[in-house]
Amino acid sequence: MYFNEEFETLPRPALEALQLKRLQAVVERVYANVPFYKASFDRSGLKPADVRSLDDLQRFPFTTKQDMRDSYPYGLFAAPLDEVVRIHASSGTTGKPTVVGYTHKDIDTWSDLMARSFVAAGAHRGDIIHNAYGYGLFTGGLGAHYGAERLGASVIPISGGNTKRQIMIMQDFGSTILTCTPSYSLFMAEEARAEGIDFKKLKLRVGIFGAEPWSEAMRGEIEEKLNLAAIDIYGLSEIMGPGVAIECIEAKNGLHIWEDHFIPEIIDPETGRRLPQGERGELVITTITKQGIPLIRYRTRDITSISYEPCVCGRTHARISRMSGRSDDMLIIRGVNVFPSQIESILVGIEGVEPHYLLIVDRKDNLDTLEVHVEVDERLFSDEIKVLQLLAKRIEKEIKDVLGVTCTAKLVEPKTIQRSEGKAKRVIDNRKL
Amino acid sequence: MKVEQISIFIENKSGRLAEITRILGESGINIRALSLADTSDFGILRLIVNDVETANKVLKEKGFTVNKTEVVAVEVPDRPGGLGAILQTLDSEQINVEYMYAFVERCGGNAVIIFRFDEVDKAINALKANNFSVLAGERLYSM
């Protein structure tokens, strides 16, 4: 089953011809409309006319998250604001988010690609899609919502949280598809069990899980506990949101990346050189149809590999493997992107707090936990318990306010956090992914 | 009339208290009174010792976070109602007790209560005005 058979099964020569045409157009457009790209291409001595083949893309400079921050908020927009109908954002290391804008056409494309993704995952009209991705600045909720409507399925826009109510609604409304983070799905299953509700009696058939890294072992656990087919979906707000790539239910082996809209490359994160098929490296994406904020060679920092081998489902689009990590130090905690440097700047802002800290990430009862260890030196120390407890609470609150992540602050004795000559180890990630 | 107390931050892990008492013992420091306040994650050990400076120095050298606070020691007759009378006085003067701990003198008939106040001088004046026996630091250190 396809949502758009013609494009999803386009023979590769035709697909590549389409990519080239669209790549030439987008390079033309950003050169004309985005001063950042004009300057960056000029610095590299490149003109839009230099794109004569898909291979020429390799000569162009990368776009990084830092470039997006430096252009905050609208500097990379290629369309005027009166054509932008939606603004989303992801968190940024300085507390400033990364801003993305969508024109009507972009929302239309996104809806199509999400509808495609739903169908690839095994959804169809008549399905009741229980959408527990967060709605708001985060792209997950609305992305899945528009895709579900485009498909013609019924969508329940429940968003995240309030687990008991989620379970009641799944039971009563007869939800057939669940969309949320993989860890939240397991959390729901545990909650249901505690309430004496058997998930296997629900009508759920497919779960579409993304926004955080997960493993094949976790897939097995989810499929067993929720009695559904668990499908991995990938996306990022800078590129579009969810629906950049998805596994097909036929193979469940690699995520088809919609190549008529995105050109993927795998590079060596150290050298920036493109790597051959099958080798693991950093995923770089060029958007070739986006109007609001097209990006040329955006470094996602996600580590994966790519395969152009034909797939049993008949789709001709390349497949990227499950994300196996990051080429930077970003952590994904309960679906929220967190850089250790963000926490560091919050701690340094609290008077007396030493910049020696350690983040311990774990997964308990299927939910990510974050412990922030902070050394207590003489300036912070008090002989009164309440003063120290207030300090811990303040650290927890500031992190929650800035990053939206709940954590536990733990005060530890001085010099107990590892020092090293080079890069100090700031993160211990105990999640078995 | 103030007494110097040292406080030490300790994580809740086994052996820390033993480590502190060992360091103090090896340096010839005698503990006169102590109190341990704890939470699930950490504790604060408060000590009155015979040699504050040395104790402070040796613990810091071993990497402990230590601070010094001024507390007030009050002698209380070791009989029913002894402490109640002091607290009554503090309450009527609207003096807040941050924390307190007690020990009984070895050979006397009195107990000594250590108080931590925010307004130390005001507390001392109020206690003295009501004829309570506020002990000097030296007396306590050498008890």
Side-chain angles (χ1 to χ4, degrees), chain A residues 376-379 381-386 388-389 392 408-416, chain B residues 5 7-11 16 37 39 41-42 44 46 60 63 65-67 69 98-99 116:
Chain A
V376 174
D377 73 355
E378 272 137 42
R379 288 167 306 160
F381 182 48
S382 162
D383 56 316
E384 293 179 51
I385 293 275
K386 69 178 179 208
L388 293 179
Q389 283 178 329
T408 310
K410 196 171 172 199
L411 304 178
V412 300
E413 288 175 19
K415 311 282 184 283
T416 52
Chain B
Q5 168 198 269
S7 310
I8 305 126
F9 179 80
I10 10 180
E11 270 177 60
R16 299 309 280 158
T39 71
D41 288 331
F42 63 85
I44 300 173
R46 300 159 185 147
K60 277 187 181 170
T65 301
V66 186
N67 77 4
T69 337
E98 295 295 340
Y99 59 78
R116 167 78 153 94

Side-chain angles (χ1 to χ4, degrees), chain A residues 289-337:
Chain A
T289 53
K290 259 173 62 180
Q291 305 293 308
I293 177 164
L295 296 177
I296 308 298
R297 305 195 84 199
Y298 182 71
R299 290 188 63 160
T300 66
R301 296 289 177 182
D302 287 315
I303 301 292
T304 182
S305 63
I306 197 161
S307 163
Y308 294 89
E309 295 299 313
C311 181
V312 290
C313 72
R315 288 177 183 82
T316 51
H317 298 238
R319 281 172 291 166
I320 51 177
S321 64
R322 189 186 279 287
M323 299 299 144
S324 65
R326 298 274 306 172
S327 68
D328 57 13
D329 56 358
M330 189 180 88
L331 294 162
I332 302 179
I333 298 168
R334 295 197 188 190
V336 180
N337 298 352

Side-chain angles (χ1 to χ4, degrees), chain B residues 73-76 101-105 110-114 135 140 143:
Chain B
V74 187
E75 209 167 6
V76 198
Y101 52 100
F103 63 103
V104 180
E105 261 186 76
N110 288 338
V112 175
I113 315 276
I114 309 286
L135 297 179
L140 206 58
M143 242 174 201

Side-chain angles (χ1 to χ4, degrees), chain A residues 28-249:
Chain A
E28 207 58 86
R29 201 162 66 245
V30 297
Y31 192 77
N33 297 323
V34 185
F36 166 83
Y37 279 116
K38 175 162 194 320
S40 137
F41 294 176
D42 285 347
R43 260 199 313 278
S44 307
L46 292 161
K47 290 276 179 273
D50 289 325
V51 185
R52 282 178 289 269
S53 74
L54 285 177
D55 272 347
D56 289 329
L57 180 58
Q58 291 178 71
R59 299 164 58 196
F60 282 74
F62 296 115
T63 307
T64 64
K65 202 175 183 77
Q66 189 58 45
D67 294 329
M68 298 193 78
R69 275 183 219 126
D70 294 345
S71 310
Y72 176 87
Y74 303 133
L76 285 179
F77 282 26
L81 274 181
D82 64 1
E83 287 176 24
V84 170
V85 297
R86 177 95 64 77
I87 296 170
H88 279 287
S90 68
S91 67
T93 57
T94 55
K96 293 284 191 197
T98 309
V99 183
V100 288
Y102 302 74
T103 64
H104 268 300
K105 187 162 179 272
D106 289 332
I107 296 284
D108 198 43
T109 304
W110 188 11
S111 307
D112 263 346
L113 294 184
M114 258 320 281
R116 260 192 214 183
S117 302
F118 274 123
V119 173
H124 46 69
R125 289 178 74 96
D127 264 320
I128 298 171
I129 299 182
H130 186 99
N131 185 23
Y133 282 118
Y135 281 65
L137 275 183
F138 170 64
T139 49
L142 282 164
H145 184 99
Y146 273 59
E149 289 190 348
R150 174 62 53 89
L151 171 62
S154 309
V155 56
I156 304 169
I158 191 154
S159 195
N162 207 342
T163 308
K164 282 186 183 151
R165 189 177 156 79
Q166 300 252 6
I167 295 164
M168 180 193 83
I169 284 183
M170 278 192 276
Q171 278 186 303
D172 296 351
F173 293 13
S175 313
T176 55
I177 310 269
L178 171 63
T179 56
C180 63
T181 59
S183 55
Y184 190 53
S185 79
L186 280 173
F187 184 75
M188 281 200 269
E190 299 292 332
E191 285 283 296
R193 189 195 301 178
E195 300 271 305
I197 295 159
D198 184 0
F199 239 87
K200 295 185 177 164
K201 291 201 177 123
L202 299 184
K203 291 194 175 143
L204 291 176
R205 199 178 73 245
V206 174
I208 299 172
F209 303 118
E212 68 184 16
W214 53 311
S215 62
E216 207 52 43
M218 200 163 159
R219 174 176 358 233
E221 195 183 341
I222 292 173
E223 295 195 328
E224 210 276 308
K225 287 189 172 151
L226 282 84
N227 192 36
L228 45 68
I231 302 292
D232 192 8
I233 189 168
Y234 174 77
L236 62 170
S237 69
E238 294 90 323
I239 295 303
M240 181 176 85
V244 172
I246 191 159
E247 288 178 322
C248 57
I249 193 161

